Amino acid sequence: MGKTIAINDLRRGLAPAGARVPASGLLAGQDRLDTLGRPLRDLRISVTDRCNFRCSYCMPKEVFDNQHAFLPHAALLSFEEITRLARLFADAGTRKLRLTGGEPLLRKNLEILVQMLATLRTPEGAPLDLTLTTNGSLLARKAVALKAAGLTRVTVSLDAIDDAVFRRMNDVDFPVADVLAGIDAAIAAGFAPVKVNMVVKKGTNDDQVVPLTRALHARYGNAVVLRFIEFMDVGSTNGWRLDDVLPSHDVLARLREIGPLTALSATADGETAQRWRFDASGQEIGLVSSVTQAFCGSCNRARLSTDGQLYLCLFANHGHDLRALVRGGADDATIAAAIDHVWGARDDRYSALRTAATPPHGASPAPEGERRVEMHYIGG
Ligand code: SAM
Protein backbone atom coordinates (compact mmCIF):
# COMPACT_ATOMS: atom_id res chain seq x y z
CA MET A 1 0.00 0.00 0.00
CA GLY A 2 1.31 3.50 -0.71
CA LYS A 3 2.04 6.21 1.75
CA THR A 4 -0.61 8.87 2.18
CA ILE A 5 -0.61 12.59 2.59
CA ALA A 6 -2.87 14.14 5.19
CA ILE A 7 -5.08 16.60 3.35
CA ASN A 8 -5.46 18.72 6.47
CA ASP A 9 -2.02 20.07 5.61
CA LEU A 10 -3.22 21.18 2.19
CA ARG A 11 -6.45 22.48 3.58
CA ARG A 12 -4.72 24.90 5.91
CA GLY A 13 -3.53 26.95 2.99
CA LEU A 14 -7.05 27.22 1.63
CA ALA A 15 -8.97 27.80 4.80
CA PRO A 16 -7.50 30.18 7.32
CA ALA A 17 -9.00 29.73 10.79
CA GLY A 18 -12.45 31.23 10.96
CA ALA A 19 -12.77 31.81 7.21
CA ARG A 20 -15.68 30.37 5.27
CA VAL A 21 -14.42 27.62 2.92
CA PRO A 22 -16.00 27.83 -0.53
CA ALA A 23 -17.48 24.55 -1.87
CA SER A 24 -14.93 24.38 -4.66
CA GLY A 25 -14.11 27.92 -5.59
CA LEU A 26 -15.58 27.23 -9.05
CA LEU A 27 -18.43 29.00 -10.78
CA ALA A 28 -21.24 26.80 -12.12
CA GLY A 29 -20.19 25.11 -15.36
CA GLN A 30 -16.53 25.98 -14.83
CA ASP A 31 -13.99 23.14 -14.65
CA ARG A 32 -11.01 22.94 -12.33
CA LEU A 33 -8.11 21.95 -14.60
CA ASP A 34 -4.93 20.33 -13.34
CA THR A 35 -1.52 21.79 -14.12
CA LEU A 36 -1.61 20.12 -17.57
CA GLY A 37 -5.08 21.45 -18.40
CA ARG A 38 -6.98 18.20 -17.72
CA PRO A 39 -10.49 18.24 -16.12
CA LEU A 40 -11.66 15.68 -13.53
CA ARG A 41 -14.32 13.65 -15.35
CA ASP A 42 -13.96 10.04 -14.30
CA LEU A 43 -13.72 8.56 -10.79
CA ARG A 44 -12.81 4.90 -10.30
CA ILE A 45 -13.84 3.57 -6.94
CA SER A 46 -12.26 0.42 -5.52
CA VAL A 47 -14.93 -1.11 -3.28
CA THR A 48 -12.78 -4.00 -2.05
CA ASP A 49 -9.10 -4.95 -2.19
CA ARG A 50 -10.04 -8.65 -2.28
CA CYS A 51 -10.36 -10.78 -5.39
CA ASN A 52 -11.27 -14.41 -5.99
CA PHE A 53 -8.82 -14.59 -8.94
CA ARG A 54 -5.03 -14.54 -8.74
CA CYS A 55 -4.08 -13.30 -12.22
CA SER A 56 -0.29 -13.24 -12.29
CA TYR A 57 -0.21 -9.80 -13.91
CA CYS A 58 -2.31 -8.28 -11.12
CA MET A 59 -2.44 -10.27 -7.86
CA PRO A 60 0.15 -13.05 -8.16
CA LYS A 61 -0.54 -15.99 -5.85
CA GLU A 62 2.96 -15.98 -4.40
CA VAL A 63 2.41 -12.46 -3.06
CA PHE A 64 -1.32 -12.48 -2.32
CA ASP A 65 -1.42 -15.76 -0.39
CA ASN A 66 -3.01 -16.84 2.90
CA GLN A 67 -0.58 -14.66 4.80
CA HIS A 68 -1.52 -11.48 2.95
CA ALA A 69 -3.27 -8.93 5.15
CA PHE A 70 -6.22 -7.44 3.31
CA LEU A 71 -7.90 -4.36 4.75
CA PRO A 72 -10.13 -4.94 7.78
CA HIS A 73 -13.80 -4.13 7.17
CA ALA A 74 -13.67 -1.02 9.39
CA ALA A 75 -11.01 0.47 7.10
CA LEU A 76 -13.25 0.29 4.03
CA LEU A 77 -15.30 3.32 3.10
CA SER A 78 -18.96 2.61 3.88
CA PHE A 79 -21.58 2.96 1.14
CA GLU A 80 -22.66 6.26 2.73
CA GLU A 81 -19.09 7.56 2.73
CA ILE A 82 -18.55 6.52 -0.89
CA THR A 83 -21.81 8.15 -1.96
CA ARG A 84 -20.99 11.39 -0.15
CA LEU A 85 -17.57 11.60 -1.77
CA ALA A 86 -18.99 10.69 -5.19
CA ARG A 87 -21.51 13.54 -4.84
CA LEU A 88 -18.68 15.98 -4.15
CA PHE A 89 -16.74 14.65 -7.15
CA ALA A 90 -19.86 15.13 -9.30
CA ASP A 91 -19.97 18.74 -8.10
CA ALA A 92 -16.31 19.03 -9.18
CA GLY A 93 -17.05 17.94 -12.75
CA THR A 94 -17.00 14.14 -12.58
CA ARG A 95 -19.42 12.57 -15.05
CA LYS A 96 -18.57 8.91 -14.80
CA LEU A 97 -18.17 6.55 -11.84
CA ARG A 98 -16.63 3.12 -12.27
CA LEU A 99 -16.90 0.56 -9.47
CA THR A 100 -13.92 -1.73 -9.44
CA GLY A 101 -11.47 -3.41 -7.13
CA GLY A 102 -10.34 -6.13 -6.34
CA GLU A 103 -13.44 -7.92 -7.48
CA PRO A 104 -16.27 -5.46 -6.83
CA LEU A 105 -18.99 -8.12 -6.79
CA LEU A 106 -17.34 -9.62 -3.70
CA ARG A 107 -18.48 -6.53 -1.78
CA LYS A 108 -21.71 -7.57 -0.06
CA ASN A 109 -24.90 -5.87 -1.29
CA LEU A 110 -23.08 -3.89 -3.98
CA GLU A 111 -26.41 -3.27 -5.68
CA ILE A 112 -27.40 -1.09 -2.71
CA LEU A 113 -24.36 1.12 -3.34
CA VAL A 114 -25.33 1.26 -7.03
CA GLN A 115 -28.82 2.35 -6.03
CA MET A 116 -27.38 5.12 -3.84
CA LEU A 117 -24.98 6.33 -6.54
CA ALA A 118 -27.76 6.29 -9.14
CA THR A 119 -29.51 9.10 -7.25
CA LEU A 120 -26.55 11.48 -7.81
CA ARG A 121 -26.78 14.25 -10.38
CA THR A 122 -24.34 16.60 -12.09
CA PRO A 123 -24.74 20.32 -11.31
CA GLU A 124 -26.74 20.48 -14.56
CA GLY A 125 -29.11 17.80 -13.23
CA ALA A 126 -27.99 14.84 -15.39
CA PRO A 127 -27.45 11.36 -13.93
CA LEU A 128 -23.89 10.04 -13.87
CA ASP A 129 -22.61 7.28 -16.10
CA LEU A 130 -22.44 4.43 -13.59
CA THR A 131 -20.27 1.51 -14.63
CA LEU A 132 -18.67 -1.63 -13.20
CA THR A 133 -15.57 -3.65 -14.09
CA THR A 134 -15.77 -7.29 -13.01
CA ASN A 135 -14.10 -10.62 -13.64
CA GLY A 136 -17.60 -11.93 -14.34
CA SER A 137 -17.45 -14.79 -11.86
CA LEU A 138 -20.51 -13.59 -9.91
CA LEU A 139 -22.22 -11.68 -12.69
CA ALA A 140 -24.72 -14.38 -13.64
CA ARG A 141 -26.16 -14.07 -10.11
CA LYS A 142 -26.03 -10.29 -9.90
CA ALA A 143 -26.78 -8.85 -13.36
CA VAL A 144 -30.54 -8.37 -12.93
CA ALA A 145 -30.20 -6.72 -9.50
CA LEU A 146 -27.45 -4.40 -10.76
CA LYS A 147 -29.54 -3.32 -13.74
CA ALA A 148 -32.57 -2.72 -11.52
CA ALA A 149 -30.40 -0.67 -9.15
CA GLY A 150 -29.43 1.71 -11.95
CA LEU A 151 -26.04 0.49 -13.20
CA THR A 152 -25.62 1.81 -16.74
CA ARG A 153 -22.77 -0.31 -18.15
CA VAL A 154 -20.66 -3.39 -17.42
CA THR A 155 -17.13 -4.32 -18.45
CA VAL A 156 -16.07 -7.95 -18.04
CA SER A 157 -12.44 -9.11 -18.01
CA LEU A 158 -11.68 -12.25 -20.02
CA ASP A 159 -8.13 -13.07 -21.11
CA ALA A 160 -8.67 -16.21 -23.20
CA ILE A 161 -11.32 -18.37 -24.83
CA ASP A 162 -9.21 -21.49 -24.41
CA ASP A 163 -10.24 -22.96 -21.07
CA ALA A 164 -6.79 -24.24 -20.13
CA VAL A 165 -5.12 -20.90 -20.89
CA PHE A 166 -7.78 -19.00 -18.95
CA ARG A 167 -7.62 -21.29 -15.91
CA ARG A 168 -3.85 -20.86 -15.86
CA MET A 169 -4.10 -17.08 -16.10
CA ASN A 170 -6.65 -16.61 -13.34
CA ASP A 171 -4.63 -19.16 -11.33
CA VAL A 172 -7.67 -20.37 -9.38
CA ASP A 173 -8.83 -22.82 -12.05
CA PHE A 174 -11.90 -20.73 -12.93
CA PRO A 175 -13.58 -21.89 -16.18
CA VAL A 176 -14.28 -19.71 -19.22
CA ALA A 177 -17.83 -21.06 -19.38
CA ASP A 178 -18.80 -19.37 -16.12
CA VAL A 179 -17.54 -15.97 -17.30
CA LEU A 180 -19.48 -16.42 -20.54
CA ALA A 181 -22.56 -17.20 -18.44
CA GLY A 182 -21.99 -13.88 -16.68
CA ILE A 183 -21.80 -12.03 -20.00
CA ASP A 184 -24.95 -13.86 -21.18
CA ALA A 185 -26.75 -12.70 -18.04
CA ALA A 186 -25.54 -9.11 -18.45
CA ILE A 187 -26.82 -8.99 -22.03
CA ALA A 188 -30.12 -10.59 -21.02
CA ALA A 189 -30.48 -7.98 -18.26
CA GLY A 190 -30.14 -5.18 -20.84
CA PHE A 191 -26.48 -4.17 -20.56
CA ALA A 192 -25.60 -4.59 -24.25
CA PRO A 193 -23.14 -3.64 -25.56
CA VAL A 194 -20.92 -5.26 -22.91
CA LYS A 195 -17.23 -4.42 -23.06
CA VAL A 196 -14.82 -7.30 -22.58
CA ASN A 197 -11.23 -6.55 -21.53
CA MET A 198 -8.40 -8.87 -22.52
CA VAL A 199 -4.97 -8.13 -21.06
CA VAL A 200 -2.49 -9.43 -23.63
CA LYS A 201 0.72 -10.89 -22.28
CA LYS A 202 3.22 -12.09 -24.84
CA GLY A 203 3.99 -15.79 -24.55
CA THR A 204 1.08 -16.31 -22.14
CA ASN A 205 -2.15 -15.56 -24.01
CA ASP A 206 -1.20 -13.67 -27.17
CA ASP A 207 -2.29 -16.71 -29.19
CA GLN A 208 -5.82 -15.96 -27.93
CA VAL A 209 -6.23 -12.61 -29.71
CA VAL A 210 -7.80 -14.03 -32.86
CA PRO A 211 -9.68 -16.99 -31.29
CA LEU A 212 -11.28 -14.80 -28.60
CA THR A 213 -12.31 -12.20 -31.19
CA ARG A 214 -13.91 -14.87 -33.36
CA ALA A 215 -15.57 -16.67 -30.45
CA LEU A 216 -17.15 -13.56 -28.95
CA HIS A 217 -18.50 -12.49 -32.32
CA ALA A 218 -19.89 -15.95 -32.99
CA ARG A 219 -21.67 -16.01 -29.63
CA TYR A 220 -22.73 -12.37 -29.20
CA GLY A 221 -22.58 -10.70 -32.60
CA ASN A 222 -22.09 -6.98 -32.01
CA ALA A 223 -23.48 -7.03 -28.46
CA VAL A 224 -19.91 -7.35 -27.14
CA VAL A 225 -16.98 -4.99 -27.77
CA LEU A 226 -13.63 -6.66 -27.12
CA ARG A 227 -10.77 -4.44 -25.99
CA PHE A 228 -7.14 -5.48 -25.96
CA ILE A 229 -5.09 -3.98 -23.14
CA GLU A 230 -1.32 -3.83 -23.22
CA PHE A 231 0.17 -5.53 -20.16
CA MET A 232 1.07 -2.64 -17.84
CA ASP A 233 3.66 -2.13 -15.15
CA VAL A 234 1.10 -1.34 -12.46
CA GLY A 235 2.00 -2.09 -8.86
CA SER A 236 5.32 -3.55 -7.83
CA THR A 237 4.62 -7.28 -7.77
CA ASN A 238 3.79 -8.42 -11.28
CA GLY A 239 7.34 -8.73 -12.62
CA TRP A 240 6.58 -6.50 -15.60
CA ARG A 241 9.03 -6.45 -18.51
CA LEU A 242 8.63 -4.60 -21.79
CA ASP A 243 9.41 -7.89 -23.55
CA ASP A 244 6.08 -9.28 -22.25
CA VAL A 245 4.04 -6.51 -23.87
CA LEU A 246 2.41 -7.23 -27.22
CA PRO A 247 2.11 -3.75 -28.75
CA SER A 248 -1.35 -2.80 -30.01
CA HIS A 249 -0.08 -2.47 -33.58
CA ASP A 250 0.88 -6.18 -33.43
CA VAL A 251 -2.58 -7.01 -32.08
CA LEU A 252 -4.07 -5.13 -35.02
CA ALA A 253 -1.83 -6.98 -37.48
CA ARG A 254 -3.09 -10.29 -36.09
CA LEU A 255 -6.73 -9.14 -36.27
CA ARG A 256 -6.24 -8.40 -39.97
CA GLU A 257 -6.05 -12.20 -40.41
CA ILE A 258 -9.81 -12.16 -39.78
CA GLY A 259 -10.46 -9.38 -42.28
CA PRO A 260 -9.93 -5.67 -42.99
CA LEU A 261 -10.73 -3.14 -40.28
CA THR A 262 -11.43 0.58 -40.34
CA ALA A 263 -10.52 3.04 -37.58
CA LEU A 264 -13.43 4.76 -35.82
CA SER A 265 -13.37 8.17 -34.26
CA ALA A 266 -13.30 8.62 -30.47
CA THR A 267 -16.68 8.87 -28.77
CA ALA A 268 -15.58 10.73 -25.66
CA ASP A 269 -12.82 13.01 -24.45
CA GLY A 270 -10.15 11.05 -22.58
CA GLU A 271 -11.29 7.74 -24.13
CA THR A 272 -8.59 5.16 -23.47
CA ALA A 273 -9.28 2.83 -26.39
CA GLN A 274 -8.64 3.41 -30.08
CA ARG A 275 -11.73 1.97 -31.73
CA TRP A 276 -11.73 -0.16 -34.90
CA ARG A 277 -14.45 -2.03 -36.79
CA PHE A 278 -14.28 -5.08 -39.03
CA ASP A 279 -15.55 -4.02 -42.44
CA ALA A 280 -17.35 -7.30 -43.12
CA SER A 281 -19.05 -8.10 -39.82
CA GLY A 282 -19.34 -4.68 -38.18
CA GLN A 283 -17.70 -6.14 -35.05
CA GLU A 284 -16.05 -3.35 -33.04
CA ILE A 285 -12.83 -3.78 -31.10
CA GLY A 286 -10.70 -1.43 -28.99
CA LEU A 287 -6.96 -1.12 -28.47
CA VAL A 288 -5.77 0.25 -25.15
CA SER A 289 -2.14 1.13 -25.81
CA SER A 290 -1.24 2.25 -22.33
CA VAL A 291 2.40 1.28 -22.76
CA THR A 292 3.28 1.99 -26.38
CA GLN A 293 1.15 5.13 -26.85
CA ALA A 294 0.66 6.66 -23.42
CA PHE A 295 -2.49 8.75 -23.17
CA CYS A 296 -1.54 10.81 -20.11
CA GLY A 297 -2.21 14.02 -22.03
CA SER A 298 -5.95 13.39 -21.98
CA CYS A 299 -6.18 11.49 -18.68
CA ASN A 300 -9.16 12.81 -16.75
CA ARG A 301 -9.34 9.99 -14.20
CA ALA A 302 -8.94 9.94 -10.43
CA ARG A 303 -9.06 6.87 -8.24
CA LEU A 304 -10.55 6.39 -4.80
CA SER A 305 -8.95 3.48 -2.96
CA THR A 306 -10.86 0.99 -0.87
CA ASP A 307 -9.90 2.91 2.28
CA GLY A 308 -10.61 6.37 0.93
CA GLN A 309 -7.28 7.60 -0.41
CA LEU A 310 -7.45 9.74 -3.53
CA TYR A 311 -4.92 8.74 -6.21
CA LEU A 312 -4.30 10.90 -9.25
CA CYS A 313 -2.59 8.27 -11.39
CA LEU A 314 -2.76 4.48 -11.76
CA PHE A 315 0.99 4.47 -11.22
CA ALA A 316 1.07 6.72 -8.18
CA ASN A 317 3.02 5.87 -5.07
CA HIS A 318 0.99 8.01 -2.70
CA GLY A 319 -2.59 9.04 -2.13
CA HIS A 320 -4.41 11.87 -0.41
CA ASP A 321 -6.40 10.92 2.65
CA LEU A 322 -10.07 11.78 2.06
CA ARG A 323 -11.24 9.23 4.64
CA ALA A 324 -9.51 11.17 7.40
CA LEU A 325 -11.51 14.25 6.40
CA VAL A 326 -14.78 12.33 6.16
CA ARG A 327 -14.31 10.54 9.48
CA GLY A 328 -12.85 13.65 11.12
CA GLY A 329 -16.16 15.46 10.71
CA ALA A 330 -15.18 17.81 7.86
CA ASP A 331 -18.12 19.48 6.19
CA ASP A 332 -18.85 19.22 2.45
CA ALA A 333 -17.24 22.55 1.63
CA THR A 334 -13.98 21.53 3.29
CA ILE A 335 -13.82 18.20 1.46
CA ALA A 336 -14.76 19.84 -1.85
CA ALA A 337 -11.99 22.40 -1.36
CA ALA A 338 -9.49 19.63 -0.63
CA ILE A 339 -10.45 17.72 -3.80
CA ASP A 340 -10.21 20.95 -5.78
CA HIS A 341 -6.81 21.76 -4.35
CA VAL A 342 -5.37 18.28 -4.94
CA TRP A 343 -6.66 18.16 -8.53
CA GLY A 344 -5.48 21.69 -9.25
CA ALA A 345 -1.94 20.68 -8.29
CA ARG A 346 -1.97 17.42 -10.32
CA ASP A 347 0.95 16.99 -12.71
CA ASP A 348 1.10 13.16 -13.06
CA ARG A 349 2.03 11.70 -16.45
CA TYR A 350 3.72 8.51 -15.43
CA SER A 351 3.22 6.49 -18.64
CA ALA A 352 4.57 9.23 -20.87
CA LEU A 353 7.68 9.52 -18.71
CA ARG A 354 8.07 5.73 -18.51
CA THR A 355 8.02 5.50 -22.31
CA ALA A 356 10.96 7.87 -22.36
CA ALA A 357 12.80 6.07 -19.55
CA THR A 358 12.36 2.36 -20.34
CA PRO A 359 15.29 0.81 -22.21
CA PRO A 360 14.36 -1.57 -25.05
CA HIS A 361 13.40 -4.94 -23.49
CA GLY A 362 13.70 -3.25 -20.08
CA ALA A 363 11.93 -3.85 -16.81
CA SER A 364 9.76 -1.30 -15.07
CA PRO A 365 11.91 1.69 -14.11
CA ALA A 366 10.24 2.44 -10.73
CA PRO A 367 13.12 3.25 -8.42
CA GLU A 368 13.67 1.16 -5.28
CA GLY A 369 11.86 2.70 -2.34
CA GLU A 370 9.21 4.22 -4.62
CA ARG A 371 6.84 1.26 -4.57
CA ARG A 372 3.73 1.94 -6.57
CA VAL A 373 0.37 1.00 -5.11
CA GLU A 374 -1.26 -2.20 -6.31
CA MET A 375 -4.08 -1.99 -8.83
CA HIS A 376 -6.61 -4.03 -6.83
CA TYR A 377 -6.32 -1.46 -4.02
CA ILE A 378 -6.76 1.73 -6.07
CA GLY A 379 -9.02 0.17 -8.67
CA GLY A 380 -8.18 -0.92 -12.21
N1 SAM B 1 -11.70 -7.75 -10.70
C1 SAM B 1 -12.20 -6.88 -11.70
C2 SAM B 1 -11.82 -7.38 -13.08
O1 SAM B 1 -11.20 -8.44 -13.17
O2 SAM B 1 -12.19 -6.74 -14.06
C3 SAM B 1 -11.84 -5.42 -11.56
C4 SAM B 1 -10.45 -5.07 -11.14
S1 SAM B 1 -9.19 -5.41 -12.32
C5 SAM B 1 -7.79 -4.76 -11.47
C6 SAM B 1 -9.56 -4.24 -13.59
C7 SAM B 1 -8.90 -4.48 -14.92
O3 SAM B 1 -7.51 -4.26 -14.81
C8 SAM B 1 -9.07 -5.87 -15.47
O4 SAM B 1 -9.57 -5.80 -16.79
C9 SAM B 1 -7.67 -6.42 -15.44
O5 SAM B 1 -7.47 -7.36 -16.45
C10 SAM B 1 -6.85 -5.16 -15.65
N2 SAM B 1 -5.46 -5.30 -15.23
C11 SAM B 1 -4.99 -5.75 -14.04
N3 SAM B 1 -3.65 -5.75 -14.02
C12 SAM B 1 -3.24 -5.30 -15.23
C13 SAM B 1 -1.97 -5.07 -15.85
N4 SAM B 1 -0.85 -5.32 -15.21
N5 SAM B 1 -1.94 -4.59 -17.10
C14 SAM B 1 -3.09 -4.32 -17.77
N6 SAM B 1 -4.31 -4.51 -17.25
C15 SAM B 1 -4.40 -4.99 -16.01
Side-chain angles (χ1 to χ4, degrees), residues 57-58 100-103 133-135 157 197 199 232 234 238 375:
Y57 57 74
C58 187
T100 177
E103 172 45 44
T133 303
T134 172
N135 62 26
S157 304
N197 280 350
V199 175
M232 288 185 285
V234 282
N238 71 4
M375 195 167 184

Side-chain angles (χ1 to χ4, degrees), residues 32-34 36-40 296-297 299 343 346-348:
R32 164 69 63 224
L33 303 179
D34 71 6
L36 300 175
R38 302 167 295 190
L40 169 49
C296 303
C299 179
W343 189 264
R346 177 182 187 245
D347 61 0
D348 303 65

Side-chain angles (χ1 to χ4, degrees), residues 52-347:
N52 52 345
F53 284 14
R54 284 293 177 273
C55 306
S56 62
Y57 57 74
C58 187
M59 290 181 74
K61 215 176 214 166
E62 311 74 63
V63 180
F64 299 94
D65 58 10
N66 295 341
Q67 309 303 314
H68 182 77
F70 288 99
L71 291 168
H73 192 74
L76 272 53
L77 290 182
S78 68
F79 288 175
E80 288 73 18
E81 289 169 336
I82 292 173
T83 306
R84 180 177 178 210
L85 287 173
R87 175 169 53 76
L88 295 172
F89 276 93
D91 287 348
T94 297
R95 298 290 171 264
K96 175 170 157 188
L97 302 175
R98 178 174 295 282
L99 300 178
T100 177
E103 172 45 44
L105 295 183
L106 290 181
R107 180 87 185 247
K108 226 171 141 193
N109 299 323
L110 191 77
E111 57 279 14
I112 294 179
L113 175 63
V114 170
Q115 217 166 31
M116 292 164 73
L117 295 174
T119 63
L120 299 178
R121 294 290 177 271
T122 67
E124 296 78 31
L128 303 181
D129 190 12
L130 192 47
T131 70
L132 171 83
T133 303
T134 172
N135 62 26
S137 59
L138 300 167
L139 193 53
R141 273 184 253 165
K142 291 275 192 173
V144 168
L146 290 167
K147 183 71 185 172
L151 192 72
T152 35
R153 290 186 296 123
V154 177
T155 299
V156 179
S157 304
L158 178 61
D159 295 330
I161 193 67
D162 180 282
D163 200 49
V165 175
F166 184 62
R167 286 176 191 253
R168 241 191 339 269
M169 282 192 83
N170 63 56
D171 215 7
V172 292
D173 212 27
F174 198 86
V176 168
D178 290 9
V179 178
L180 295 177
I183 299 172
D184 295 349
I187 290 173
F191 283 114
V194 170
K195 285 184 185 152
V196 171
N197 280 350
M198 171 186 180
V199 175
V200 186
K201 200 173 166 194
K202 212 193 273 179
T204 302
N205 68 336
D206 59 315
D207 64 345
Q208 294 294 298
V209 167
V210 169
L212 184 60
T213 307
R214 288 190 193 279
L216 291 182
H217 190 254
R219 188 175 175 112
Y220 300 113
N222 297 333
V224 161
V225 175
L226 177 57
R227 300 165 0 132
F228 302 92
I229 304 180
E230 290 178 345
F231 171 43
M232 288 185 285
D233 51 333
V234 282
S236 306
T237 58
N238 71 4
W240 184 87
R241 288 180 52 78
L242 189 57
D243 274 352
D244 297 332
V245 177
L246 185 73
S248 288
H249 63 81
D250 290 356
V251 171
L252 194 58
R254 293 186 190 194
L255 292 175
R256 290 202 162 103
E257 287 171 24
I258 298 175
L261 298 102
T262 301
L264 302 175
S265 53
T267 49
D269 285 346
E271 189 168 65
T272 52
Q274 297 158 311
R275 300 161 58 234
W276 291 78
R277 180 178 287 148
F278 284 98
D279 296 345
S281 65
Q283 181 184 11
E284 183 183 322
I285 61 101
L287 301 172
V288 182
S289 315
S290 18
V291 176
T292 60
Q293 294 168 57
F295 35 79
C296 303
S298 60
C299 179
N300 52 20
R301 281 173 291 287
R303 292 179 151 82
L304 187 60
S305 73
T306 316
D307 58 354
Q309 313 300 312
L310 175 61
Y311 285 86
L312 302 179
C313 176
L314 182 54
F315 301 94
N317 57 28
H318 69 266
H320 303 269
D321 195 354
L322 293 184
R323 190 187 62 182
L325 290 183
V326 169
R327 295 197 179 165
D331 62 12
D332 283 355
T334 304
I335 300 173
I339 293 170
D340 185 60
H341 183 88
V342 169
W343 189 264
R346 177 182 187 245
D347 61 0

